Amino acid sequence: MDNIKDNFSSISKKDSPEISLKVLYAQRSVYNKNWNSRIHFHPFTEFYYIIDGRGKFTIEDEILDVGKDDFIIINSNVGHTEYPDKNVDAFEYISFGIEGVSISSQVNEFDLVEKNFLKKTYSDQKVDFRKYFESILKEFNSDDEYSTSYTNAIATILMINILRLYDSEIVISHERKVNRQIDYIKNYMDNNYSEDIRLEDLANMAYMNKFHLISEFKLAYRVTPIEYLILKRIDITKNLLITTNHSMEEISSIVGFNSQSYFNQVFKKKVGTTPSQYRRNHRLKRGL
């Protein structure tokens, strides 16, 4: 009896917390000439698997090159966008979203800052991740009996395999719900990005001091309120550059930048190219 107790104790210590995932959506995305991905945020964690082609993911301030058989996990409320490489004939991926959990990753034990995403390549691993993604996609869009439970089960097994393979690099945790005041501030900036918005004004709206606001906003969205506002303005700028003939001065004013030189400086820092070059590149890509 004592041996049985000892064995049970050792198993319990080794075992990790129980994981159960809920899939919110699953879809296949295929590149075409009208592809226009913009920086966006989701209130759930997203999983991507590249089926074909090459492209890039911009996640917060990092740009990742991706190709066939790469998979990426991006935490909730992390700004990101994805797009194909220039002149590619194919760029296709399967993605799905889950609620309730997030991951933290470190390249090595000396990293001071944990990343809010994970990128890996399947080709060197024993687990066929593509089959998991394809099964999740199929079951999520199926009308078969128990398809929802089956979808959630496959996603949970996939997550466990990922944790076992990369146990020294990542940890999984339950997500923190976004404070209603912080959610209100985000929505306010989404709808009023063109206004002269100051941190002090946002703090007054949230009935917080500005330091508390910064701390709470970063916990929810991984960036400060002003950094989020800049990302939002750049997001709108990209769309205006591609779809309108407005001058740079007009666009900088529309999205809320008081100075065109500051507008150019911020855009180049975040996107890697000037607004004018960004417009030229996308018009060349579309043959305009």
Side-chain angles (χ1 to χ4, degrees):
M1 179 65 75
D2 289 339
N3 288 338
I4 293 174
K5 286 182 178 179
D6 290 341
N7 289 338
F8 181 80
S9 176
S10 64
I11 291 171
S12 297
K13 288 178 181 177
K14 183 179 178 181
D15 201 14
S16 300
E18 202 169 299
I19 297 171
S20 181
L21 305 184
K22 180 181 180 181
V23 177
L24 302 178
Y25 87 89
Q27 66 183 27
R28 183 186 296 265
S29 299
V30 181
Y31 165 73
N32 61 55
K33 297 300 181 183
N34 295 319
W35 186 292
N36 183 24
S37 180
R38 300 164 61 182
I39 295 173
H40 49 281
F41 296 75
H42 298 295
F44 46 79
T45 298
E46 284 193 300
F47 290 62
Y48 295 84
Y49 190 95
I50 311 302
I51 299 296
D52 196 12
R54 296 203 60 81
K56 296 183 187 299
F57 272 66
T58 299
I59 305 173
E60 295 183 320
D61 289 333
E62 295 197 45
I63 299 176
L64 307 180
D65 291 312
V66 298
K68 185 178 180 181
D69 292 326
D70 284 344
F71 72 88
I72 304 100
I73 304 174
I74 304 175
N75 277 345
S76 66
N77 301 316
V78 172
H80 63 281
T81 186
E82 60 281 348
Y83 48 94
D85 277 351
K86 294 178 183 177
N87 303 318
V88 299
D89 294 323
F91 186 56
E92 181 179 354
Y93 59 76
I94 294 173
S95 60
F96 66 90
I98 60 170
E99 70 173 5
V101 297
S102 62
I103 60 105
S104 298
S105 67
Q106 291 178 299
V107 175
N108 58 61
E109 62 181 319
F110 302 107
D111 282 348
L112 297 178
V113 179
E114 293 182 339
K115 294 184 180 295
N116 291 306
F117 64 87
L118 175 75
K119 178 204 166 190
K120 292 293 180 182
T121 299
Y122 153 67
S123 56
D124 298 328
Q125 302 299 339
K126 297 177 182 178
V127 179
D128 191 343
F129 290 115
R130 176 169 177 163
K131 284 188 176 179
Y132 281 101
F133 276 79
E134 289 176 337
S135 296
I136 289 168
L137 178 66
K138 177 183 175 183
E139 288 297 327
F140 185 85
N141 294 288
S142 168
D143 293 325
D144 291 347
E145 195 172 12
Y146 306 118
S147 59
T148 298
S149 297
Y150 196 17
T151 303
N152 295 338
I154 298 169
T156 301
I157 294 170
L158 170 62
M159 188 73 250
I160 290 170
N161 275 300
I162 291 170
L163 288 169
R164 285 178 173 177
L165 281 169
Y166 307 113
D167 63 335
S168 62
E169 297 178 49
I170 64 172
V171 293
I172 190 170
S173 60
H174 290 286
E175 291 178 340
R176 183 179 183 274
K177 289 188 177 180
V178 177
N179 183 311
R180 285 187 178 183
Q181 293 163 285
I182 299 304
D183 195 39
Y184 172 79
I185 294 299
K186 174 188 172 294
N187 289 333
Y188 177 82
M189 289 190 286
D190 285 341
N191 295 316
N192 299 277
Y193 58 83
S194 62
E195 303 296 327
D196 182 17
I197 298 176
R198 302 174 185 275
L199 182 62
E200 290 78 7
D201 298 330
L202 297 176
N204 289 335
M205 289 179 196
Y207 299 98
M208 298 178 179
N209 69 54
K210 60 184 181 181
F211 302 107
H212 187 201
L213 173 63
I214 290 171
S215 176
E216 287 292 314
F217 201 95
K218 284 192 75 171
L219 279 173
Y221 296 105
R222 278 86 179 187
V223 292
T224 69
I226 300 305
E227 286 169 340
Y228 177 83
L229 178 61
I230 289 171
L231 287 173
K232 182 68 182 179
R233 287 172 171 171
I234 288 174
D235 181 21
I236 301 299
T237 295
K238 286 180 175 180
N239 189 50
L240 291 172
L241 288 169
I242 294 170
T243 61
T244 76
N245 290 316
H246 293 320
S247 68
M248 298 304 145
E249 185 178 1
E250 288 173 322
I251 291 176
S252 66
S253 177
I254 289 170
V255 299
F257 287 102
N258 294 324
S259 161
Q260 188 181 342
S261 61
Y262 179 63
F263 162 68
N264 290 333
Q265 176 188 339
V266 170
F267 190 93
K268 185 172 183 180
K269 181 180 178 181
K270 295 294 183 183
V271 181
T273 185
T274 65
S276 298
Q277 187 62 51
Y278 182 87
R279 171 177 274 173
R280 282 196 295 270
N281 289 344
H282 280 266
R283 291 193 170 180
L284 284 171
K285 189 186 299 182
R286 291 182 170 197
L288 298 176

